Each structure stands twice: as C-alpha cells, then as structure tokens.
C-alpha cells in the first residue's frame, strides 16, 4: 500500500517563475493538506482540499493556489516566485469522511524548492 | 489565538536513559494534540495523539505522552532512549472550536541520543 507520494523531489526555479508541485494521497484518503516548512522551522499550513474544494486556508498570499482532482490527488501552484518561497513543501493526506478527521495526517517526503 | 511552544531547541540524552521532549499549547476550545518525528530529508511520521479519554497515551516506537490540562502541556516521553531515536520532533495542536481543521505546529526539538 503506497503512502503519500510527492513529485518532484527537488526543484530549482528563479524569481518570478511559476511552479506546480504534485501529491498523490495514501490509498483510501480523501483529504489533502499542504504545508511549507522553511529550514529550521515547523510546518506552516497553506491550505486543505476536500471534495475538490479548498476547505480551509492558512496565512498565505493568493500566489499560492491549489487543486484537487476527482481521484483525490492534488497540486500546489505558486506564481511569481520569491526568494522567500524556498522551502520544503509537504503534502499530507487523511480520510475525513466517516469520522476520520481526528485521525493523524500521513505525510509525503516533500518537494525541496530552491529559488535562485 | 492557537499556539504551540516547544521550549527546547535541542535535547541531549545518553542511550538507555529516559527522555522528555516538552510541549505546551494554547487553544480556545478543546485541543487535539499530536506528536510527529522527522528524520533528515523526510516527511513527518506520526507518533501518537490525544483526542479524549486517558491522559496517558502510548504511541509508536515505545513513545508515550501525558496530557495535562491544568498545565496545558503534552510532553513526549520514552523510558529508555535509543541512538536511532535521534531526530527532529514536532508537537502539533488542533483547536476543535469553530470546526477548525488547521494543525498548528511547534518549531521542533532536535533530539540527540548519545551512545
């Protein structure tokens, strides 16, 4: 049973460019959350997707957007990249339906994004 | 506002000794509390959670944590540390008030277990 998978594992971009990161949730999970983890920091919540809609959002600008597909996979898009966007981007999945919201989130190994 | 504090950036213990990694929280409603571990260049792995019930919760790899409502704490413990426990540990809280689904994370504590 595959866990959460993220692609790519590493990415280098320059300021002003746009990037798309991808996530496939663990089998049976219907909810995907995205986090930004800067070096030496804890994860910061970007947003959560459920039933193909953004259900909750953290304090991130509109440059950060996302999408969830009918198969529950998800994308994180970041436009007009800034140097400060350099971080590890983590995807986490869980099953929200059937009372699963209190279950732990399962994390992928992340995408390391470097902005030059 | 919700917040999580991990007051120690780093904890050093000798192999075989007990370990404690501290976490305190602040929420307006009832807390759901979690501990995760992160190894270098990896995502976070779930260790244990407190939702309701018994204040002492047991988790993976011999870890346990005690929920203390009066002290708003949820310290992670293990009776006998292993070198392989060396990693970064994160405490997280979800405030269930207002149908909030967001996890708030601490800054992490680096645990070093010395042989």
């Amino acid at each position: 049973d595959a866990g959460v998978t993220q692609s790519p594992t590493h990415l280098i971009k320059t300021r002003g460019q746009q990037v798309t990161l991808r996530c496939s949730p663990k089998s049976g999970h219907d909810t995907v959350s995205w986090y930004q983890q800067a070096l030496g920091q804890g994860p910061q919540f970007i947003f959560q997707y459920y039933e193909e809609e953004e259900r909750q959002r953290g304090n991130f600008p509109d440059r950060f957007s996302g999408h969830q597909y009918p198969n529950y996979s998800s994308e994180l898009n970041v436009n007009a990249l800034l140097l400060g966007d350099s971080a590890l981007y983590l995807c986490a999945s869980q099953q929200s339906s059937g009372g699963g919201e209190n279950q732990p989130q399962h994390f992928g190994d992340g995408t390391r994004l470097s902005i030059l | 506002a919700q917040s999580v504090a991990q007051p120690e950036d780093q904890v050093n213990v000798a192999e075989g000794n007990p370990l404690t990694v501290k976490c305190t929280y602040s929420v307006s409603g009832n807390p759901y509390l979690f501990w995760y571990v992160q190894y270098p260049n990896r995502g976070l792995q779930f260790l244990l959670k407190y939702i309701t019930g018994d204040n002492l919760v047991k988790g993976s790899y011999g870890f346990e944590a005690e929920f203390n409502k009066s002290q708003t704490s949820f310290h992670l413990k293990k009776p006998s540390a292993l070198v392989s426990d060396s990693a970064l540990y994160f405490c997280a809280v979800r405030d269930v008030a207002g149908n909030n689904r967001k996890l708030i994370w601490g800054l992490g504590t680096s645990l070093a277990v010395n042989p």
Side-chain angles (χ1 to χ4, degrees):
Chain A
D1 175 23
V4 179
T5 57
Q6 292 187 242
S7 63
T9 55
H10 294 85
L11 202 51
I12 299 175
K13 292 285 187 179
T14 57
R15 282 179 297 174
Q17 285 190 310
Q18 177 267 340
V19 69
T20 297
L21 310 182
R22 295 178 174 81
C23 172
S24 292
K26 181 179 170 64
S27 177
H29 287 185
D30 56 12
T31 301
V32 173
S33 300
W34 286 93
Y35 295 87
Q36 180 193 66
Q37 186 180 17
L39 202 60
Q41 302 291 315
Q44 297 292 315
F45 175 76
I46 303 175
F47 40 55
Q48 183 181 87
Y49 275 83
Y50 173 68
E51 293 189 334
E52 303 179 50
E53 291 191 357
E54 183 182 289
R55 187 157 72 166
Q56 189 164 2
R57 189 179 182 91
N59 295 325
F60 279 80
D62 292 344
R63 299 187 297 110
F64 290 77
S65 62
H67 189 80
Q68 186 179 35
Y69 294 92
N71 67 353
Y72 308 120
S73 67
S74 178
E75 291 179 352
L76 164 65
N77 301 292
V78 186
N79 295 322
L81 287 166
L82 303 173
L83 292 178
D85 295 332
S86 294
L88 180 67
Y89 287 85
L90 295 166
C91 170
S93 73
Q94 69 190 115
Q95 182 181 347
S96 288
S97 55
E101 277 200 344
N102 298 329
Q103 296 305 311
Q105 295 181 350
H106 292 246
F107 284 79
D109 286 339
T111 294
R112 175 75 62 187
L113 176 63
S114 300
I115 312 301
L116 303 180
Chain B
Q2 304 174 72
S3 65
V4 175
Q6 293 181 241
E8 302 155 316
D9 291 336
Q10 181 150 351
V11 170
N12 294 295
V13 297
E15 187 175 28
N17 282 2
L19 70 86
T20 299
V21 183
K22 296 179 181 178
C23 172
T24 59
Y25 64 91
S26 174
V27 297
S28 56
N30 290 323
Y32 289 173
L33 294 152
F34 302 84
W35 275 103
Y36 283 80
V37 60
Q38 186 176 33
Y39 295 96
N41 300 312
R42 301 298 301 277
L44 290 90
Q45 296 178 32
F46 169 74
L47 284 177
L48 49 79
K49 66 176 180 178
Y50 172 83
I51 303 297
T52 187
D54 195 350
N55 289 343
L56 183 65
V57 293
K58 295 188 182 294
S60 306
Y61 313 119
F63 284 94
E64 59 188 28
E66 185 167 11
F67 171 64
N68 188 318
K69 187 172 184 178
S70 62
Q71 296 185 3
T72 61
S73 67
F74 189 56
H75 301 331
L76 180 71
K77 301 182 179 184
K78 186 172 182 180
S80 178
L82 300 172
V83 173
S84 58
D85 292 330
S86 299
L88 194 55
Y89 290 80
F90 289 96
C91 179
V93 66
R94 178 183 158 212
D95 185 347
V96 297
N99 203 25
N100 185 14
R101 297 176 177 84
K102 186 169 64 174
L103 275 179
I104 301 300
W105 297 78
L107 294 180
T109 298
S110 179
L111 173 66
V113 181
N114 307 306

